[in-house]
Amino acid sequence: MNIHEYQAAELFAKYGLPINPGRVARTPEEAAEHARAIGGTVVLKAQVHSGGRGKAGGVKLAKSPEEAAEKTGQILGLDIRGHIVQQVLVAPGADIAKEYYLGAILDREARGITMMGSAEGGVDIEEVARTNPEAIIKVTADPLLGLQDYEARELAFGMGIEAAEVNSFVAIVKQLYSAFVGEDASLAEINPLIRTGDGKWAAIDSKMVLDDSALYRHPGLEGLRDLAEENPTEIEAKKAGLAFVKLDGEIGCMVNGAGLSMATMDAIKFAGGSPANFLDVGGGATSKQVVQGLQLILADPNVTAILFNIFGGIARCDVIAQGIVDGLTQIEVKVPLVVRLLGTNQEEGRRILRESGFDLITADTMSEAAQKVVAAAAGR
Ligand code: GDP
Ligand code: MN
């Protein structure tokens, strides 16, 4: 789950990180009020689930409440990488002497929590990773032992932090690690972490991605969800009780079971296509679920063919086939449909599909199904 900068900053503050506390405004007038209360120069920052706000005009300084109102008016409604700004964070303007990058990620490859730092902070860290990867220093902490002081110091030395600042920097690295573990994050980032003109550390841009699967351990965090920022199709799917993840390909997938769904996506890739979604309709695949699933898949204009890959284990193929047929009578599908139905009562299921009168392409094996749907998607 993605959260906003100001929410991440509030979580970071619990762990002692030196964040720049601000207030959120939804109108220019509110921004002016906040600016007046804070006093002096303030920074106005678009709150959207996207980076690159600075470059997109979503971060501006204002020297007076009037200027804060005017600039907030410019930021509200901006489209930043497809995210429309509805809230602006008003915070004390920071006096930046040097910008660093500091991040923590769940590093499956290294089987630990990797802390990353760079003296090339402030800018797009993905860009640094591409063009100048040596500028990013990494240390991986063993999740059972936790981050050790010497590991945090290694990061500091690698980043070229001055000797006199190493201890205070190490404290920040450890706080970020604690925040990451304590909130069950999959990513925690400060970019930039700055040295101020008067020689202090300040975290002026906080980012956190929370692990959805761990949210049950943190009842308070669910409230940080911003539905306006989430994929509308995924929200619909959640309401319908379907596991749906939007992807970038052209082949819609309707599969029962998560494992079979993963294997189906692999088979499509292997056949030269690309899945448009992950969708596990569950064991039953009733006509209601089929209709809801088709609606989710067809909401994506990129979809040029759909593959049903259904295994009748506990569920029976004839019941599922009837669900598919009932579903297809309720919703118009203009793209080719490939169906693979296998398992308990498969003959009966195939007969129902055959006699339904719908124009369905059938397949027996997984690879045949994948090849047929890839061909159909390409119009072959
Ligand atoms: P991002 O572009 O979405 O990552 O947004 P950031 O919050 O990181 O802001 C982008 C850049 O704006 C930072 O790297 C800073 O250079 C600058 N910036 C942000 N806040 C302040 C501030 O309070 N004072 C000054 N002078 N610059 C700031
Ligand atoms: Mn940033």
Side-chain angles (χ1 to χ4, degrees):
M1 177 171 94
N2 287 311
I3 59 175
H4 287 295
E5 173 194 1
Y6 74 92
Q7 297 168 325
E10 282 169 17
L11 292 176
F12 282 175
K14 290 203 303 187
Y15 296 85
L17 283 162
I19 56 131
N20 186 18
R23 305 160 193 224
V24 175
R26 292 185 155 270
T27 62
E29 296 71 37
E30 251 186 284
E33 256 173 63
H34 294 337
R36 198 168 289 119
I38 292 167
T41 299
V42 293
V43 62
L44 306 162
K45 307 178 74 179
Q47 297 298 288
V48 281
H49 290 180
S50 163
R53 297 165 303 167
K55 277 187 199 153
V59 178
K60 295 183 194 296
L61 294 172
K63 293 196 176 67
S64 67
E66 293 71 34
E67 200 183 345
E70 188 195 327
K71 292 194 167 161
T72 298
Q74 295 165 3
I75 296 173
L76 286 169
L78 267 186
D79 180 335
I80 301 180
R81 296 179 181 171
H83 301 253
I84 308 297
V85 182
Q86 292 173 338
Q87 308 177 80
V88 171
L89 176 67
V90 187
D95 168 22
I96 303 177
K98 168 104 188 98
E99 301 188 65
Y100 294 91
Y101 169 88
L102 185 64
I105 55 159
L106 182 69
D107 192 341
R108 292 189 168 84
E109 224 165 297
R111 298 179 184 182
I113 295 162
T114 294
M115 306 300 292
M116 298 180 293
S118 178
E120 310 276 316
V123 289
D124 207 347
I125 199 68
E126 284 82 11
E127 183 64 26
V128 179
R130 250 193 317 276
T131 57
N132 191 14
E134 319 79 66
I136 301 175
I137 313 301
K138 296 180 180 178
V139 297
T140 300
D142 183 316
L144 297 179
L145 299 175
L147 180 72
Q148 303 294 306
D149 285 9
Y150 78 89
E151 292 171 322
R153 278 196 298 273
E154 206 177 300
L155 193 66
F157 297 140
M159 288 167 64
I161 307 279
E162 280 176 38
E165 295 162 8
V166 166
N167 283 347
S168 55
F169 177 79
V170 162
I172 287 174
V173 178
K174 291 175 75 176
Q175 285 161 342
L176 186 65
Y177 180 88
S178 300
F180 179 94
V181 174
E183 304 298 325
D184 282 316
S186 49
L187 173 91
E189 235 177 32
I190 306 171
N191 189 27
L193 168 68
I194 62 163
R195 284 302 281 184
T196 60
D198 55 359
K200 294 195 177 79
W201 291 107
I204 65 167
D205 182 14
S206 309
K207 176 173 175 174
M208 222 176 191
V209 179
L210 301 169
D211 183 348
D212 284 290
S213 305
L215 283 176
Y216 76 97
R217 302 209 291 197
H218 309 274
L221 295 183
E222 186 60 45
L224 302 183
R225 193 181 286 283
D226 183 351
L227 289 179
E229 286 278 7
E230 302 207 348
N231 183 310
T233 314
E234 290 185 12
I235 297 172
E236 281 303 309
K238 209 166 279 172
K239 278 195 219 148
L242 302 171
F244 180 91
V245 180
K246 166 94 184 68
L247 300 169
D248 300 329
E250 70 288 351
I251 295 171
C253 302
M254 180 143 14
V255 187
N256 64 341
L260 188 59
S261 299
M262 300 296 285
T264 303
M265 297 194 301
D266 284 347
I268 289 171
K269 278 273 185 191
F270 194 68
S274 185
N277 66 282
F278 168 97
L279 171 57
D280 171 11
V281 287
T286 60
S287 64
K288 189 168 165 231
Q289 282 170 317
V290 170
V291 170
Q292 284 169 329
L294 281 173
Q295 280 167 340
L296 295 172
I297 291 173
L298 293 170
D300 178 354
N302 296 336
V303 170
T304 54
I306 299 175
L307 173 59
F308 279 75
N309 192 9
I310 304 289
F311 177 72
I314 296 170
R316 284 162 30 207
C317 286
D318 53 327
V319 175
I320 293 170
Q322 197 55 53
I324 294 174
V325 171
D326 291 347
L328 290 176
T329 46
Q330 291 172 51
I331 181 166
E332 192 189 5
V333 181
K334 289 189 177 138
V335 297
L337 275 173
V338 176
V339 183
R340 172 176 180 251
L341 201 57
L342 195 80
T344 312
N345 286 7
Q346 61 186 33
E347 293 313 324
E348 179 64 5
R350 288 176 190 176
R351 188 187 60 76
I352 292 170
L353 292 180
R354 218 171 25 245
E355 293 175 1
S356 70
F358 286 108
D359 191 9
L360 304 171
I361 303 167
T362 55
D364 289 336
T365 68
M366 191 98 159
S367 55
E368 185 193 348
Q371 280 159 12
K372 282 186 169 172
V373 78
V374 170
R380 282 186 264 127

